[in-house]
Amino acid sequence: SGETIVRALIEALLRRKLPDDAPSHVLAVLREDLFDQLTALDKNDVWRLLQSQSPHAQELGGLLLQRMDANALALDQIVKLASHDILSVRQAAWSSFERGIDRVKGSMAEAARILDAKWADSRTWAFDFFRTKLGADAFSADVLVTILDSVREDVQAFGRELTTKYFRDEDGPALMAKLAEHPSTAV
C-alpha cells in the first residue's frame, strides 16, 4: 500500500543509510508524489523526523508540521523548533503560533520564550507576532519581566518597548520588585 511505501521511505531517511544523492530524491518523491499519503503519520512520527540527524527528514518534518493541528505539539516543543537549523521547521513553528493564538495567550510566559530563539528570523517573526497579534491583556508584569530577563539585547529592547506600551499602574509594584532584582542596568 501507499502507506507502507511511505513508511519505508521515511525509515530510510531516518536511518541515513542511503547513497549520497538518494535522500534529496526520496524527499522529492515524498513531497511531490506521496504527500497525501503522509497524512497517516501522527505527531510522534513527525517529532521523530524533526529530531532526526538527517536534514532531509527534518525538512519533511517541517513541511508536515505546517499541515498538522496547531495544538498537536506542546508549546515548549514549538518554542524549541523556532531555533531549529532548518528554515521549513522554523516556519512551521511560526505557523503553529499563528494558528494557535488562544493557546499562546493562555500560556504567555512559556510562549514568550520564542523571543529568545537562536535565529534572527525567528526573533524578528516573534517580535512582529507579539506586536500585532496580541493585545495589552496578554502582557502581565510576569510576562514583561520574562521578556526583559532575556540575555539577548534585541529581546531586552523589545521588552522595554512592550513595557512602555502596555504598562499598567496596578502592575507597578510587582514590576518594580522584579526589575530591582535584574542584573542588567539596561533594564
Side-chain angles (χ1 to χ4, degrees):
S1 76
E3 187 180 338
T4 308
I5 294 167
V6 163
R7 291 221 174 256
L9 291 172
I10 286 173
E11 287 306 316
L13 276 182
L14 288 169
R15 279 198 240 93
R16 299 178 74 188
K17 300 272 195 253
L18 298 166
D20 288 349
D21 58 341
S24 57
H25 183 67
V26 169
L27 177 60
V29 168
L30 286 167
R31 191 173 52 214
E32 292 157 26
D33 303 325
L34 296 170
F35 207 72
D36 291 341
Q37 302 286 326
L38 293 170
T39 55
L41 298 176
D42 67 15
K43 68 179 183 181
N44 296 326
D45 293 321
V46 174
W47 187 247
R48 272 183 68 213
L49 289 165
L50 293 167
Q51 297 301 110
S52 163
Q53 296 301 307
S54 159
H56 297 89
Q58 293 171 6
E59 182 159 336
L60 181 63
L63 295 169
L64 290 171
L65 184 58
Q66 290 183 32
R67 288 183 44 167
M68 285 174 66
D69 177 348
N71 298 319
L73 295 179
L75 203 53
D76 65 320
Q77 290 175 306
I78 295 167
V79 165
K80 184 178 176 187
L81 294 177
S83 290
H84 202 283
D85 290 343
I86 304 281
L87 177 60
S88 68
V89 176
R90 296 195 302 275
Q91 290 169 330
W94 309 341
S95 171
S96 292
F97 259 61
E98 287 168 355
R99 292 179 292 130
I101 288 181
D102 290 340
R103 180 164 79 148
V104 169
K105 287 180 178 176
S107 303
M108 278 296 291
E110 190 174 5
R113 291 182 24 244
I114 200 169
L115 294 163
D116 272 320
K118 87 175 189 185
W119 289 93
D121 60 1
S122 278
R123 292 195 306 278
T124 300
W125 171 87
F127 295 156
D128 182 64
F129 176 85
F130 277 61
R131 269 186 201 109
T132 61
K133 303 283 195 294
L134 305 172
D137 56 333
F139 297 102
S140 66
D142 283 343
V143 173
L144 292 171
V145 169
T146 297
I147 297 168
L148 289 164
D149 265 345
S150 174
V151 296
R152 296 184 183 279
E153 288 183 22
D154 57 342
V155 180
Q156 287 180 12
F158 181 65
R160 291 191 297 273
E161 172 194 323
L162 291 176
T163 303
T164 303
K165 187 173 176 183
Y166 294 126
F167 178 77
R168 296 180 294 247
D169 288 343
E170 64 269 21
D171 287 339
L175 197 57
M176 291 308 293
K178 289 180 173 133
L179 293 179
E181 301 164 9
H182 202 280
S184 169
T185 54
V187 173

